[in-house]
Amino acid sequence: MHIIVSLLLAILISAGLLIFLAFPLMILGLVGSFKSASVLVISLAQTAAYLLVVKLRFIKTNFWSGLGFNKIELKNYLKLGLKYWLAIEATALIWDFLLTKLGLSPSGPGGRTWITGLKFLPLVYVYFSQAILGPLGEEVFFRGYVFRFLRQKQSFFKAAIISAFLFALIHLDIKMFPLLILHGYWYAKMTEKSKSIVPAYTAHMLKNLLVIWFQTVPVVWYTNLR
């Protein structure tokens, strides 16, 4: 119940921040619709909400050190994150291949998306918010809080599966649901091994960076070669 209340609180705060940030973009004429504005600010709103909820509900003091941000172990954290990132990318490519065979749109270079029409500065912001900021908020909440809270009372497997399930659920993407559960489980495994969210954050960040890169830079080449 503690986890569900925290998740609902994060969703409510995120929704409030989303409205607060999106409407000024429309009023100033920077975007043409609320949907476009929402896409631009949703990662920022979610990350702020996740950090706030974890700060209020779980880690009240020594926030970053409590999440395992340790400069001394940084090299080992990065090695572990890179190791799992390779497995994450491999399974993502296989899953995208299977989706394509089923006639579904994959998560990678499957065609043009709204992001390809952005100019340079908005595109830089998208990279920052969705590839760097977004994974930080998700790892702080789902591994730094949900997994570690459950792990205090449950076995690793149960805590990892529940946190991975909630992580997949919040993405609202049915076709990616099994893959997100698998990746969420691996993020939890990294957290269990290192006692830090840094390896999971590293792998998660690199995964998102590659996805956005595929949606922007090579999508024209991909389309022309078909």
Side-chain angles (χ1 to χ4, degrees):
M1 183 59 69
H2 189 279
I3 295 297
I4 299 301
V5 170
S6 297
L7 182 58
L8 291 175
L9 181 60
I11 291 172
L12 289 174
I13 294 174
S14 178
L17 288 172
L18 182 67
I19 295 171
F20 177 78
L21 294 170
F23 273 113
L25 295 179
M26 294 177 60
I27 295 171
L28 293 173
L30 298 176
V31 292
S33 66
F34 181 75
K35 181 179 180 180
S36 298
S38 299
V39 170
L40 285 174
V41 301
I42 189 167
S43 291
L44 181 61
Q46 286 180 336
T47 300
Y50 286 146
L51 292 175
L52 181 60
V53 170
V54 175
K55 178 70 175 176
L56 292 173
R57 306 272 293 172
F58 193 59
I59 306 176
K60 296 179 171 58
T61 59
N62 300 320
F63 187 77
W64 295 110
S65 61
L67 293 167
F69 282 79
N70 184 347
K71 291 182 180 179
I72 298 175
E73 293 292 332
L74 184 60
K75 185 177 180 180
N76 292 329
Y77 292 160
L78 294 178
K79 283 183 178 179
L80 183 60
L82 286 170
K83 176 184 175 182
Y84 274 86
W85 172 64
L86 294 174
I88 287 169
E89 286 300 335
T91 52
L93 288 172
I94 294 171
W95 191 254
D96 282 356
F97 175 78
L98 293 174
L99 288 177
T100 302
K101 288 298 182 181
L102 293 173
L104 299 173
S105 175
S107 61
R112 296 180 182 274
T113 63
W114 65 274
I115 204 173
T116 59
L118 292 177
K119 295 182 180 179
F120 178 73
L121 287 178
L123 189 58
V124 170
Y125 167 75
V126 167
Y127 269 86
F128 174 73
S129 64
Q130 296 193 10
I132 298 175
L133 206 57
L136 176 63
E138 290 180 346
E139 291 310 315
V140 167
F141 188 83
F142 290 102
R143 258 62 65 177
Y145 166 43
V146 175
F147 168 71
R148 289 170 63 214
F149 179 83
L150 293 171
R151 187 69 178 94
Q152 292 175 352
K153 303 177 181 179
Q154 309 288 346
S155 66
F156 163 75
F157 182 77
K158 190 172 183 178
I161 288 296
I162 293 174
S163 61
F165 177 84
L166 293 175
F167 169 69
L169 188 66
I170 205 71
H171 283 79
L172 301 175
D173 191 345
I174 295 176
K175 69 178 184 296
M176 302 302 294
F177 198 80
L179 185 67
L180 287 168
I181 289 180
L182 175 62
H183 290 175
Y185 177 83
W186 280 342
Y187 293 143
K189 194 168 184 178
M190 281 182 267
T191 304
E192 176 80 359
K193 282 186 174 182
S194 63
K195 308 303 178 186
S196 168
I197 69 165
V198 176
Y201 173 55
T202 300
H204 196 163
M205 178 180 62
L206 290 173
K207 172 67 172 63
N208 282 23
L209 277 171
L210 198 59
V211 168
I212 296 175
W213 187 81
F214 270 133
Q215 289 177 332
T216 53
V217 178
V219 71
V220 176
W221 308 338
Y222 177 84
T223 303
N224 291 337
L225 288 173
R226 292 185 65 182

